[in-house]
């Protein structure tokens, strides 16, 4: 895998973060990270606003893949209005996928535990672990302040880059087993 750019998204209707991370020459570098705050907006205005901001980032950076945290928040026996609005937002963001661009839906507990080594721990310790990994893997984050949403978006971008690396390794491995041509690879 030569150079790849991934966008990680931590969706939320009141605060949605995205991070753009580039993998090149064996190193991961942060290109952009923002939390979009929409508290003063009505839900029907917040979704298009977030969509526009992230759409501009996707058009600017042309990522190989986008990873979106698949966010679900249930209380009691029903779904909160915020969860419903966030699911609508995730659906809208999914529509941003371009031809040839991979889209990964990331379940929060799984990707976070995978990033920090698979251990079960409290949510607080898990979030501290994600921040530690982000700060140690992404070169230009030292000394900069990021809110928890940006940290999660950076973590989602790292997991998305890891998925791209694995996909490229599997493709190379599959090609090597097929008479060296790669022409007959079956779709996974």
């Amino acid at each position: 895998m030569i150079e790849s750019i991934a966008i990680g998204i931590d969706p939320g209707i009141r605060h949605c973060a995205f991070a753009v991370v580039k993998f090149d020459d064996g190193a991961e570098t942060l290109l952009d990270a923002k939390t979009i705050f929409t508290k003063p907006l009505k839900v029907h205005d917040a979704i298009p606003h977030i969509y526009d901001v992230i759409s501009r980032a996707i058009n600017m950076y042309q990522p190989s893949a986008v990873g979106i945290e698949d966010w679900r928040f249930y209380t009691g026996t029903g779904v909160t209005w915020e969860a419903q609005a966030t699911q609508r937002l995730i659906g809208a963001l999914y529509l941003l996928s371009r031809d040839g661009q991979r889209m990964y839906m990331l379940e929060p507990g799984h990707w976070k535990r995978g990033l920090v080594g698979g251990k079960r721990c409290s949510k607080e310790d898990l979030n501290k672990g994600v921040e530690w990994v982000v700060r140690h893997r992404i070169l230009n984050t030292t000394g900069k302040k990021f809110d928890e949403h940006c940290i999660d978006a950076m973590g989602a971008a790292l997991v998305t880059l890891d998925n791209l690396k694995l996909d490229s390794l599997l493709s190379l491995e599959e090609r090597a087993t097929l008479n060296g041509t790669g022409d007959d690879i079956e779709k996974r």
Side-chain angles (χ1 to χ4, degrees):
M1 189 167 109
I2 302 190
E3 175 189 298
S4 291
I5 294 175
I7 294 183
I9 301 172
D10 179 29
I13 201 62
R14 291 294 169 221
H15 35 71
C16 179
F18 72 92
V20 184
V21 178
K22 178 180 178 180
F23 177 80
D24 188 25
D25 205 22
E28 291 144 335
T29 307
L30 182 68
L31 301 178
D32 198 357
K34 286 185 179 67
T35 298
I36 307 158
F37 293 98
T38 63
K39 194 159 182 106
L41 298 176
K42 291 186 165 82
V43 171
H44 64 273
D45 293 327
I47 292 173
H49 175 69
I50 294 167
Y51 180 91
D52 288 344
V53 172
I54 293 177
S55 178
R56 284 194 300 273
I58 288 173
N59 288 331
M60 179 186 299
Y61 294 106
Q62 298 292 309
S64 305
V66 176
I68 303 175
E69 188 172 70
D70 193 5
W71 193 85
R72 296 179 188 95
F73 188 80
Y74 300 96
T75 58
T77 58
V79 178
T80 66
W81 71 268
E82 186 175 350
Q84 291 174 346
T86 300
Q87 287 300 328
R88 291 181 189 120
L89 173 64
I90 289 171
L93 294 174
Y94 197 78
L95 296 173
L96 289 172
S97 179
R98 306 284 190 260
D99 286 338
Q101 183 183 71
R102 295 182 187 220
M103 184 71 71
Y104 296 98
M105 299 305 289
L106 308 169
E107 195 281 317
H110 291 141
W111 78 257
K112 288 180 179 185
R113 278 193 298 279
L115 192 65
V116 300
K119 295 182 180 178
R120 288 214 174 265
C121 55
S122 71
K123 185 177 179 180
E124 180 181 318
D125 286 344
L126 191 59
N127 289 335
K128 286 179 186 175
V130 169
E131 181 169 7
W132 187 90
V133 170
V134 162
R135 298 251 182 221
H136 284 81
R137 279 187 57 186
I138 301 176
L139 294 177
N140 55 339
T141 59
T142 306
K144 295 181 182 176
K145 289 195 173 239
F146 298 102
D147 65 27
E148 64 185 290
H149 309 292
C150 273
I151 293 290
D152 274 1
M154 287 184 243
L158 286 176
V159 169
T160 301
L161 282 172
D162 290 345
N163 283 332
L164 282 172
K165 291 174 200 171
L166 285 173
D167 287 350
S168 69
L169 288 174
L170 292 174
S171 297
L172 291 172
E173 189 176 296
E174 289 169 341
R175 281 190 210 113
T177 63
L178 298 171
N179 300 330
T181 66
D183 295 336
D184 300 337
I185 296 174
E186 293 180 11
K187 299 283 184 197
R188 281 183 261 143

